[in-house]
Amino acid sequence: MRPQDDLDLERKPLLDRRSRKLFQILNYNWAIFPLTALLSFLSTTSQFPLNYPTKSTAAVYSLMVWAGVPDAIVKPGVLWTRDCTIITLIIGPFLLAQFPPYYILWGMCLPVQPFSYANAPKQRSFRSFRVCLVTKATNIQGIELWKPLSQAFRITFVVVVDSAHNPFRDLLPSWVEQLQVPPSFQAERATHKARVLEWYRRHSNLTERDWVLHLDEETEIDDYLMQACLDFIERGSDDIGMGTIYYNASSHWKNPFTTVAEILRIAENFGRYQLPVRFFGQPLLGFMRGSFLLLNGQVENAVTWDTDCMTEDHWFAFYAAKQGFKFGWLNAIAREQAPATIADLLRQRRRWYSGELMIPSWPLRVMVAFNIWADVDAAYRMMTMIYGGWMISVSYGFFAWTTFNLAVLLHGRVVACLMEDLDCHTTALLDVPVHVVLTVLLAPVVDLVQAATFLWTVVWPTREFTVIRKQ
């Protein structure tokens, strides 16, 4: 058996190549995604008679034709029907919840410019750059990838344990700083992970020349990500950076249901997370992930982590935005794992929904509820396409519009599936079409399950900070 150091050094460039390859493609997203979105709906061989096309107009439209939808629901010669009004009332909240409508498509088509920070001149320096991992000693993975990073970059790696016993004391290498939160430490409000983050903030004496990259226990990082963080710090002007997370670090597609649930999050990443940050330098109502989060010390000191909110990351971003700090997007990929079981997924989502509802913002609560409505609406439309059962009457124009909505929805989810598979070196080429089909078939079921979990949370919110185990 080869030494562990040799295996680590072999794996490191593999991750770096995966990231570089992906962003070389995404450098042309402004040309690729408008074309693929158009092809998901239109075809250059289509004919458009006065009533409605008799030939396939797209992948989505051809499925509709194959299922007999136009013949069953389109009423020739009319502009509007009562069913058009009813369906509009159903779809309307889904579109309004996106702010703006079709935000995933807009996020995909807005030029990513992944090398913009790297090509900019240096305009600020830093005193320290720390990679901080907070753990309850439940999971700790990806540490083996830190050694080559520590040799290549000016970084301090820190593991902060919230446990009476630190099981990693004799396992972690000496160059990793190990800290343990004193049991006696009590913040004014902070509990669970927020308490640990607040203790570390106070312990570290951070300044505006210090930066902290916060990771979850199983988050994997590579050279490409670290260089993107350094470019952000030295060549940018933003105070907070966050980036994309893929859920293919290991056991990719081992559980199709939880894998599809995370694919839906990757699709949402283009709209709910990237689009407002890249347009306005602010997250939409504080939507931010707690891992792959780069913070300036001045921001941490101004906002602090002293909160009893179950989603401390969302709470932090919400108040950081209110204080006027500027957000930027890190064009790199961190990799994690999907929950191993459906039960873990539901516990995780329930904690997230409970935390979001704790933030004192009615617009946020309304938007969360609208997004759940959107899940139900998306599930309804996709199940209608897949399983049939139409007893409505609409105009052709309205049918074309709803078909376009469905094409945009499917396009975002299929692209997210393909990108995650493209990034995963263990995915066989012949498995990719199977994964696309599974994404289309399982997505409406996942939508409904997540909507049911939200309703469960509204009736019975949790105060348990669930940390699910990863394989």
Side-chain angles (χ1 to χ4, degrees):
M1 182 178 294
R2 288 176 292 172
Q4 182 63 44
D5 285 357
D6 292 344
L7 295 173
D8 296 345
L9 291 171
E10 185 178 278
R11 191 179 180 194
K12 177 186 76 73
L14 173 63
L15 293 176
D16 185 66
R17 287 196 301 270
R18 285 161 57 184
S19 296
R20 192 170 302 278
K21 177 181 177 182
L22 185 65
F23 281 103
Q24 285 173 345
I25 296 172
L26 288 178
N27 195 35
Y28 302 96
N29 75 299
W30 52 271
I32 296 172
F33 291 141
L35 178 61
T36 56
L38 185 64
L39 291 176
S40 72
F41 180 66
L42 294 177
S43 169
T44 56
T45 60
S46 302
Q47 295 180 358
F48 290 86
L50 294 178
N51 47 13
Y52 56 82
T54 56
K55 291 186 178 182
S56 169
T57 64
V60 173
Y61 187 84
S62 62
L63 286 173
M64 292 290 197
V65 172
W66 174 79
V69 178
D71 293 328
I73 72 172
V74 172
K75 187 175 182 180
V78 300
L79 296 177
W80 198 260
T81 69
R82 184 184 66 177
D83 289 334
C84 293
T85 301
I86 295 172
I87 295 172
T88 299
L89 293 174
I90 296 173
I91 296 178
F94 166 71
L95 295 177
L96 290 175
Q98 296 181 9
F99 301 122
Y102 312 116
Y103 66 161
I104 292 177
L105 180 60
W106 286 115
M108 286 182 167
C109 296
L110 184 69
V112 170
Q113 298 178 323
F115 311 113
S116 57
Y117 284 113
N119 295 330
K122 289 187 178 182
Q123 53 185 317
R124 60 185 176 188
S125 60
F126 65 95
R127 183 182 70 172
S128 71
F129 178 23
R130 315 172 190 202
V131 175
C132 178
L133 186 153
V134 168
T135 177
K136 288 182 68 68
T138 306
N139 313 297
I140 189 162
Q141 301 167 37
I143 299 294
E144 72 276 3
L145 300 174
W146 287 5
K147 183 174 183 179
L149 297 177
S150 70
Q151 297 170 344
F153 298 98
R154 184 157 54 96
I155 308 170
T156 301
F157 290 89
V158 185
V159 173
V160 187
V161 179
D162 182 21
S163 174
H165 170 65
N166 182 354
F168 310 121
R169 188 173 302 279
D170 299 324
L171 299 178
L172 294 177
S174 59
W175 48 265
V176 174
E177 183 180 358
Q178 301 183 51
L179 299 173
Q180 186 168 311
V181 182
S184 60
F185 173 72
Q186 295 295 329
E188 184 178 345
R189 292 179 299 275
T191 59
H192 307 298
K193 183 178 180 180
R195 169 179 167 271
V196 182
L197 290 168
E198 178 63 9
W199 176 84
Y200 179 70
R201 180 190 71 82
R202 299 184 189 185
H203 172 81
S204 301
N205 297 315
L206 300 173
T207 72
E208 64 180 351
R209 299 190 65 238
D210 299 312
W211 291 80
V212 182
L213 176 64
H214 291 280
L215 303 178
D216 281 343
E217 294 171 309
E218 77 279 9
T219 307
E220 292 187 355
I221 58 178
D222 59 14
D223 278 27
Y224 192 93
L225 183 147
M226 297 310 301
Q227 187 59 56
C229 290
L230 289 172
D231 289 337
F232 183 93
I233 293 170
E234 295 183 314
R235 304 172 188 271
S237 59
D238 302 319
D239 308 301
I240 300 171
M242 55 182 178
T244 301
I245 299 176
Y246 284 177
Y247 304 90
N248 58 5
S250 64
S251 304
H252 188 43
W253 281 101
K254 184 173 183 179
N255 186 320
F257 188 92
T258 60
T259 299
V260 171
E262 302 297 43
I263 286 173
L264 302 190
R265 292 178 67 198
I266 296 172
E268 282 281 306
N269 187 75
F270 284 102
R272 186 183 299 180
Y273 294 87
Q274 285 194 51
L275 190 62
V277 167
R278 288 161 57 196
F279 251 120
F280 307 111
Q282 297 277 304
L284 179 62
L285 297 174
F287 281 101
M288 182 178 77
R289 307 195 194 284
S291 186
F292 192 9
L293 175 60
L294 181 62
L295 298 179
N296 180 263
Q298 183 181 22
V299 180
E300 293 214 30
N301 291 334
V303 181
T304 79
W305 294 97
D306 197 5
T307 176
D308 60 352
C309 182
M310 301 294 289
T311 49
E312 74 293 327
D313 47 359
H314 196 156
W315 179 93
F316 186 97
F318 181 82
Y319 283 101
K322 288 191 70 172
Q323 294 187 35
F325 290 108
K326 191 176 179 183
F327 290 68
W329 197 260
L330 287 159
N331 287 304
I333 302 293
R335 299 170 180 89
E336 297 185 357
Q337 302 173 41
T341 67
I342 297 176
D344 283 341
L345 177 75
L346 299 184
R347 285 195 293 268
Q348 181 191 66
R349 299 306 199 252
R350 185 180 174 217
R351 177 176 70 82
W352 290 352
Y353 295 145
S354 296
E356 289 170 350
L357 295 175
M358 291 174 68
I359 298 174
S361 168
W362 280 108
L364 173 60
R365 294 169 185 172
V366 169
M367 185 175 179
V368 172
F370 267 31
N371 275 294
I372 298 306
W373 181 285
D375 286 345
V376 175
D377 176 74
Y380 165 76
R381 287 188 285 136
M382 291 183 68
M383 284 179 145
T384 298
M385 184 194 75
I386 296 168
Y387 304 114
W390 309 276
M391 297 182 64
I392 58 176
S393 178
V394 300
S395 66
Y396 170 70
F398 189 86
F399 164 71
W401 175 63
T402 54
T403 304
F404 171 76
N405 289 338
L406 184 58
V408 169
L409 178 68
L410 285 171
H411 174 259
R413 295 176 171 190
V414 169
V415 166
C417 173
L418 291 173
M419 289 178 63
E420 189 171 58
D421 274 3
L422 177 65
D423 179 69
C424 184
H425 69 286
T426 60
T427 300
L429 185 61
L430 293 178
D431 289 336
V432 174
V434 177
H435 294 166
V436 169
V437 172
L438 285 173
T439 298
V440 173
L441 294 177
L442 288 176
V445 182
V446 173
D447 286 329
L448 289 176
V449 169
Q450 294 190 139
T453 305
F454 174 75
L455 294 176
W456 174 32
T457 304
V458 171
V459 175
W460 188 17
T462 183
R463 296 292 295 175
E464 179 185 0
F465 194 90
T466 304
V467 179
I468 62 175
R469 291 184 176 273
K470 301 293 180 70
Q471 296 178 0

